[in-house]
Amino acid sequence: MPRPPHDPDHDSIAGRTPTVLPTSDGLAGHRREASRPKLRRAIVCAIGVSLLAAIGFTVATREFRADPSAARIREDNRASRGDAQFEATPGPSGTSTVPATPSPSSSQSVTSSQSAPATTKPATANAAPTEPTMPTGQRTIRAFITGYSYFDNTPAGSVDISNPVIHQSAAGMGTYADPITVAVGHSIVNGRDILDWPTGTRFYIPNLRRYFIVEDTCGDGSSPQNGPCHTGYSAPATTWLDIWIGGKGGSTSGSDACMNAITDVWDVLVNPGPNYATAAGSVYGSAGCTKQYGNALLLS
């Protein structure tokens, strides 16, 4: 395809029509002459940039010489922004070391230790004594208390018992470790002998300050549930306990008098703890009948 004729009006630089200068051969010389303005502008720009750089370097040098601490201030400002971790610091031996950057877990632990409230232990030197912890199942009931002795046991003049636990015969000193034998009512149902209180049940009677344990039954015949210790006690008692008072070495009259003295409705602790006051010894013996203390409960 033939090339279109050249149009000098559209061969412009920066939108301007190039100047056509005559030459010795009479031909247009705009293609050679058009590159000279470009060269001049490039030279002028290069000189300008060089002058600005020289002026900036001179000003910076004068500022540093006038105030040598300026660079240090800039470094301090950079350190305050968190860049100080890259600065070398003198180590214990005079060598330079780079401090380790705290890990997030370390900063969290410090924050937690700083924010944790201080605690103090309460003073216990002058604390008032507390009541002893009661054993599970301990409770207080009202019981009709009577007694039986060596002289009116079955058979008479014996120490036999029907349900031995820690004693093979009626005995005991009334302490928690050595409770006194007590007889309870029972029933015979379908040939089975069912005690009102399970064998081995412990009691504590504040009036006598002694511990007792179920090891005997009260009532004879084929229907003991219709006799003493099971029925016939008065309110407000909820049960009947017939305690072993001993008597061997004493007299029938003396034992009878002691049994009459203690017969009444008294407070009784069921499943008591081991820390109650005790007046160890037989309820009745050669020294006579025990002292009575009422329903006041006293710790040992």
Side-chain angles (χ1 to χ4, degrees):
M1 179 180 292
R3 297 177 62 184
H6 179 68
D7 184 358
D9 292 335
H10 291 87
D11 191 1
S12 62
I13 300 175
R16 295 191 300 274
T17 302
T19 303
V20 178
L21 298 176
T23 62
S24 58
D25 56 6
L27 298 176
H30 67 276
R31 292 186 182 280
R32 292 189 297 272
E33 296 294 329
S35 61
R36 292 180 181 179
K38 291 182 180 180
L39 179 60
R40 287 196 298 270
R41 282 195 296 273
I43 293 172
V44 170
C45 290
I47 294 173
V49 171
S50 299
L51 289 175
L52 290 175
I55 292 172
F57 178 79
T58 302
V59 172
T61 303
R62 289 178 180 177
E63 180 184 357
F64 180 79
R65 290 176 179 176
D67 187 8
S69 63
R72 182 176 300 172
I73 293 175
R74 287 194 294 271
E75 292 300 323
D76 292 342
N77 291 337
R78 185 162 64 91
S80 66
R81 294 194 302 270
D83 298 332
Q85 59 183 336
F86 299 105
E87 296 297 325
T89 57
S93 61
T95 59
S96 296
T97 59
V98 177
T101 304
S103 62
S105 60
S106 300
S107 60
Q108 290 174 1
S109 62
V110 171
T111 303
S112 300
S113 62
Q114 291 176 348
S115 61
T119 58
T120 57
K121 294 182 179 180
T124 58
N126 298 323
T130 58
E131 288 293 327
T133 302
M134 301 303 181
T136 303
Q138 176 177 304
R139 65 186 189 278
T140 301
I141 63 172
R142 299 279 280 171
F144 184 55
I145 304 299
T146 58
Y148 71 110
S149 70
Y150 172 81
F151 302 102
D152 62 354
N153 191 21
T154 303
S158 74
V159 292
D160 295 348
I161 55 177
S162 60
N163 300 78
V165 179
I166 62 176
H167 305 114
Q168 294 303 309
S169 58
M173 296 296 291
T175 63
Y176 186 84
D178 186 19
I180 296 172
T181 301
V182 62
V184 297
H186 62 124
S187 304
I188 296 179
V189 179
N190 297 327
R192 295 181 58 213
D193 191 8
I194 303 173
L195 278 65
D196 293 352
W197 293 92
T199 300
T201 300
R202 290 177 185 259
F203 301 102
Y204 177 81
I205 302 178
N207 181 52
L208 303 176
R209 289 188 180 174
R210 287 171 173 82
Y211 289 89
F212 298 85
I213 186 170
V214 176
E215 294 183 312
D216 203 358
T217 53
C218 175
D220 295 325
S222 58
S223 301
Q225 59 267 32
N226 298 326
C229 294
H230 189 84
T231 62
Y233 56 87
S234 59
T238 58
T239 192
W240 186 336
L241 301 178
D242 199 25
I243 67 172
W244 173 257
I245 69 166
K248 189 175 183 179
S251 64
T252 303
S253 59
S255 64
D256 291 343
C258 187
M259 289 186 285
N260 290 334
I262 66 172
T263 298
D264 207 339
V265 176
W266 298 102
D267 286 351
V268 174
L269 272 64
V270 182
N271 299 323
N275 50 350
Y276 294 105
T278 57
S282 298
V283 176
Y284 172 76
S286 57
C289 192
T290 185
K291 179 182 177 180
Q292 298 185 65
Y293 303 92
N295 289 322
L297 193 59
L298 183 66
L299 296 176
S300 58

